[in-house]
C-alpha cells in the first residue's frame, strides 16, 4: 500500500514536470534537453567498442588451449566485473570433432540479478584454429585472428555492459561470451562440431531454471558495409525478436545494414539456446545472398575490416531494444 502511494506521488510529480515543460514552448525552443524519441537510451560509443576489439586482437588468436586464450578469458572477466556485473566463469572439458580435449570457458556477466524480466545477450569469444577459407592453401592450418569473427560481437557487448553498469535499464541483462564456437570440422557436413560452448551452456545454464524473455547473438558485426539479413533459424524460432530489432534499426536510420531480406540457415550459438532452452533468440550475423564476408575464416580477419559505423549501427540498435524494454 505504502509503495503504491509513493509511486502515485512520484508519477504526479513527473506529470507536473512534463506539463511545465510543454506549457511554455517559446522559452524552450532549441532546448537540447527536451525529451526526444528514444530518450533514456544512452549513446553507444563506437570508439570505445573499437578499443575493446583492439584489446582482444592484441592477445593474438584466442584458440582454446593456448596462452592467448587464457589471457583473454581473464581480460573479459575483469572487464565485466569492472562494469559492475557479477561474473561467473563456466569451465568444461569439451571434445572437438577430432577428439582434442578443449579447456572451455563460457564467461557470464549478470546485471540486476533480482529482475525477473531478463534479456540475454551473446557472442562467441574464441578464434578458429584454421584459416580454411584462405585463398592460400598453406594458410589453412593457421589460426585466424578472429577480429570480426569473435572479437567484434564481444567488443559491442562490452561497450553495452559499460552503459548497463552505469545506467541500469529496467530489465535484467545477462551477457554470455561463449567459447569453442569456431572449432567446427573444416571438412564440413558436421554441424554438431560447431558451437560447443553454447551447446554446453544450454544444457547447463549458469542458473537453475534460467529464463530470459529473449536472446540476441552478435556474430561478425564489425565489418565495413556489413549486411545483416534475417537469418533462417532466427525467423523460425524468434520471428518476433527479429522484427523488433530490424524495426528499431530502421527507425534509427540503419536500414542499410539491417536489410529486410531473409537469408539461409546458419548453425550458430543461438541454435542450442532456441532448441534446448527454448529462449527465442535471434542472430545478427553478416551473411547474405553473397555468403559470408570475404575475410571470413582467412588470415585477413584483422582490424583493417572493422568500421566504427557498423559497430555504431549494431550497438545503438541493440541498446535501444534493451533500454526500451
Ligand atoms: C557454419 O559454418 C556451420 N557455421 C558458421 C558459424 C560461424 C562460424 N560463425 C562464425 N564462425
Ligand atoms: Zn568463424
Amino acid at each position: 500500500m505504502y509503495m503504491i502511494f509513493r509511486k502515485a506521488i512520484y508519477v504526479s510529480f513527473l506529470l507536473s514536470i512534463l506539463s511545465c515543460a510543454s506549457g511554455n514552448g517559446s522559452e524552450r525552443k532549441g532546448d537540447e534537453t527536451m525529451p526526444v524519441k528514444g530518450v533514456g537510451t544512452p549513446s553507444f560509443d563506437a570508439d570505445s567498442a573499437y578499443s575493446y576489439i583492439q584489446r582482444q586482437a592484441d592477445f593474438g588468436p584466442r584458440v582454446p588451449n593456448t596462452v592467448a586464450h587464457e589471457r583473454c578469458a581473464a581480460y573479459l572477466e575483469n572487464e565485466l566485473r569492472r562494469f559492475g556485473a557479477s561474473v561467473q566463469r563456466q569451465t568444461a572439458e569439451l571434445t572437438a570433432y577430432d577428439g582434442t580435449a578443449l579447456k572451455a570457458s563460457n564467461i557470464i556477466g549478470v546485471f540486476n540479478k533480482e529482475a525477473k524480466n531478463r534479456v540475454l545477450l551473446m557472442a562467441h569469444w574464441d578464434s578458429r584454429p584454421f584459416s580454411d577459407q584462405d585463398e592460400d592453401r598453406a594458410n589453412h592450418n593457421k589460426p585466424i585472428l578472429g577480429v570480426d569473427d569473435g572479437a567484434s560481437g564481444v567488443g559491442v557487448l562490452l561497450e553495452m555492459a559499460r552503459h548497463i553498469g552505469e545506467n541500469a535499464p529496467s530489465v535484467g541483462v545477462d551477457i554470455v561470451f561463449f567459447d569453442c564456437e569456431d572449432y567446427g570440422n573444416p571438412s564440413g557436413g558436421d554441424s554438431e562440431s560447431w558451437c560447443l560452448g553454447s551447446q554446453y551452456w544450454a544444457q547447463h545454464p549458469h542458473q537453475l531454471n534460467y529464463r530470459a524473455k529473449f536472446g540476441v547473438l552478435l556474430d561478425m558485426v564489425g565489418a565495413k558495409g556489413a549486411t545483416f539479413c534475417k537469418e533462417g533459424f532466427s525467423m523460425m524460432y524468434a520471428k518476433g525478436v527479429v522484427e523488433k530489432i530490424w524495426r528499431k534499426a530502421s527507425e534509427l536510420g540503419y536500414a542499410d545494414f539491417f536489410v529486410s531480406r531473409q537469408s539461409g540457415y546458419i548453425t550458430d550459438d543461438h541454435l542450442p539456446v532456441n532448441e534446448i532452452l527454448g529462449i527465442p533468440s535471434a542472430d545478427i550475423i553478416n551473411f547474405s545472398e553473397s555468403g559470408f564476408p570475404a575475410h571470413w575464416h582467412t588470415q585477413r580477419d584483422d582490424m583493417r575490416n572493422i568500421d566504427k559505423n557498423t559497430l555504431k549501427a549494431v550497438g545503438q540498435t541493440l541498446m535501444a531494444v534493451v533500454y526500451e524494454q
Side-chain angles (χ1 to χ4, degrees):
M1 187 58 187
Y2 172 69
M3 280 305 288
I4 293 170
F5 184 60
R6 276 228 321 210
K7 215 169 212 168
I9 292 177
Y10 179 66
V11 167
S12 68
F13 176 65
L14 262 182
L15 282 174
S16 70
I17 292 178
L18 285 173
S19 64
C20 284
S22 57
N24 46 5
S26 57
E27 284 168 40
R28 287 280 174 156
K29 197 164 54 182
D31 185 342
E32 284 166 23
T33 64
M34 280 294 277
V36 289
K37 206 157 174 224
V39 77
T41 301
S43 176
F44 181 91
D45 184 347
D47 294 317
S48 176
Y50 187 94
S51 75
Y52 303 137
I53 297 169
Q54 179 77 67
R55 285 291 297 273
Q56 294 170 79
D58 289 345
F59 290 111
R62 283 84 60 218
V63 172
N65 301 346
T66 66
V67 172
H69 182 263
E70 178 45 41
R71 287 192 179 139
C72 186
Y75 163 72
L76 298 176
E77 287 179 307
N78 281 332
E79 292 297 78
L80 287 173
R81 203 169 289 125
R82 180 164 80 91
F83 299 141
S86 95
V87 177
Q88 295 178 46
R89 187 199 284 223
Q90 177 180 64
T91 59
E93 191 168 287
L94 303 176
T95 308
Y97 71 91
D98 60 356
T100 307
L102 305 175
K103 288 190 192 317
S105 293
N106 292 325
I107 294 162
I108 301 140
V110 175
F111 290 93
N112 188 4
K113 66 169 169 295
E114 310 307 328
K116 280 203 63 71
N117 200 7
R118 312 198 62 77
V119 174
L120 169 64
L121 305 177
M122 306 166 274
H124 81 89
W125 70 274
D126 61 307
S127 305
R128 181 160 180 73
F130 320 111
S131 301
D132 46 316
Q133 299 293 325
D134 202 281
E135 29 289 290
D136 185 351
R137 281 204 69 88
N139 288 333
H140 282 203
N141 55 9
K142 294 181 188 164
I144 65 166
L145 189 51
V147 169
D148 190 23
D149 188 357
S152 69
V154 170
V156 167
L157 293 186
L158 283 176
E159 170 59 3
M160 287 189 67
R162 184 176 73 81
H163 285 291
I164 292 164
E166 248 171 40
N167 181 355
S170 58
V171 284
V173 176
D174 304 295
I175 294 180
V176 183
F177 296 143
F178 291 122
D179 201 355
C180 301
E181 187 271 350
D182 231 348
Y183 220 106
N185 190 339
S187 307
D190 191 359
S191 64
E192 303 271 285
S193 65
W194 301 85
C195 307
L196 299 178
S198 55
Q199 291 187 48
Y200 183 84
W201 179 79
Q203 281 152 0
H204 310 92
H206 62 287
Q207 293 251 302
L208 192 65
N209 301 319
Y210 176 74
R211 293 307 302 165
K213 226 172 124 185
F214 64 91
V216 183
L217 171 65
L218 302 184
D219 192 5
M220 299 190 277
V221 293
K224 187 177 165 116
T227 302
F228 308 119
C229 288
K230 298 173 177 176
E231 182 274 331
F233 289 122
S234 305
M235 287 300 276
M236 180 167 146
Y237 290 111
K239 183 168 194 297
V241 181
V242 171
E243 299 303 352
K244 191 207 311 263
I245 297 167
W246 264 250
R247 192 180 322 119
K248 182 53 65 185
S250 173
E251 249 175 71
L252 294 174
Y254 302 128
D256 288 350
F257 294 98
F258 289 81
V259 301
S260 60
R261 285 131 36 207
Q262 185 164 333
S263 71
Y265 293 75
I266 310 291
T267 299
D268 209 345
D269 290 321
H270 65 322
L271 196 58
V273 178
N274 277 303
E275 291 189 336
I276 300 172
L277 277 179
I279 296 172
S281 298
D283 192 5
I284 301 176
I285 183 167
N286 186 359
F287 180 78
S288 69
E289 299 77 8
S290 36
F292 289 111
H295 54 269
W296 180 66
H297 293 180
T298 73
Q299 288 288 296
R300 288 176 290 106
D301 183 3
D302 58 29
M303 288 304 292
R304 288 173 300 179
N305 296 303
I306 302 300
D307 185 339
K308 290 176 185 174
N309 295 306
T310 308
L311 300 175
K312 176 72 176 176
V314 173
Q316 196 62 56
T317 298
L318 197 49
M319 289 279 281
V321 167
V322 169
Y323 277 83
E324 289 173 21
Q325 272 306 296

